[in-house]
Amino acid sequence: MPAPSACSGIVDNGSSHRGKKATDRLITAFPNAVMVHTPIHASWLNQVEIYFSVVQRKVVSPNDFTDLAQVGDRLRAFEDRYNATAQPFQWKFTTSDLDDLLARLDRHTADHPEEFSFRLTA
């Protein structure tokens, strides 16, 4: 019998997915798996997580199903409604936006030094 080929697990850069410990956990459970990290702040993965959060809150909870067929029916009905009403998410965050955010943080830090108990030193 041939050796199993490698499979990829796509993960974000959350703390539970980074570093040697996370890789070791995955390889222990799935020896042929390779962990592939998305870029930091990968918005597409965040959107997938948001979608499944909506499914959890709007469809799965409360868990009052009488059987699996009812779960499937409710999920299909939600999918039909969602696909009929969903709008593309307009994602943008420019370098100018980042400059503005950092300037606001600098002003806040200067205006409220008591909130910051540490100082960076060179």
Side-chain angles (χ1 to χ4, degrees), residues 9-116:
I10 300 174
V11 297
D12 63 13
N13 278 282
S15 61
S16 63
H17 304 133
R18 283 193 311 249
K20 183 168 174 21
K21 285 184 179 183
T23 302
D24 290 346
R25 263 193 323 270
L26 179 70
I27 291 172
T28 298
F30 306 98
N32 63 330
V34 176
M35 192 178 300
V36 178
H37 288 87
T38 61
I40 296 174
H41 305 296
S43 62
W44 72 268
L45 188 57
N46 294 339
Q47 293 308 303
V48 170
E49 290 173 344
I50 290 169
Y51 175 79
F52 282 115
S53 172
V54 170
V55 169
Q56 173 68 38
R57 288 179 281 119
K58 301 283 185 178
V59 181
V60 180
S61 295
N63 185 2
D64 59 354
F65 304 104
T66 56
D67 57 31
L68 286 177
Q70 192 178 32
V71 176
D73 292 344
R74 195 179 295 178
L75 284 168
R76 279 187 288 282
F78 174 78
E79 179 183 16
D80 291 343
R81 280 192 313 274
Y82 191 87
N83 286 337
T85 60
Q87 297 292 317
F89 181 72
Q90 299 299 317
W91 182 265
K92 68 174 190 159
F93 192 81
T94 66
T95 55
S96 178
D97 295 330
L98 177 60
D99 290 341
D100 293 344
L101 174 63
L102 292 173
R104 284 196 321 271
L105 289 171
D106 284 344
R107 283 192 304 274
H108 181 78
T109 303
D111 293 343
H112 302 92
E114 68 281 358
E115 294 178 19
F116 299 91

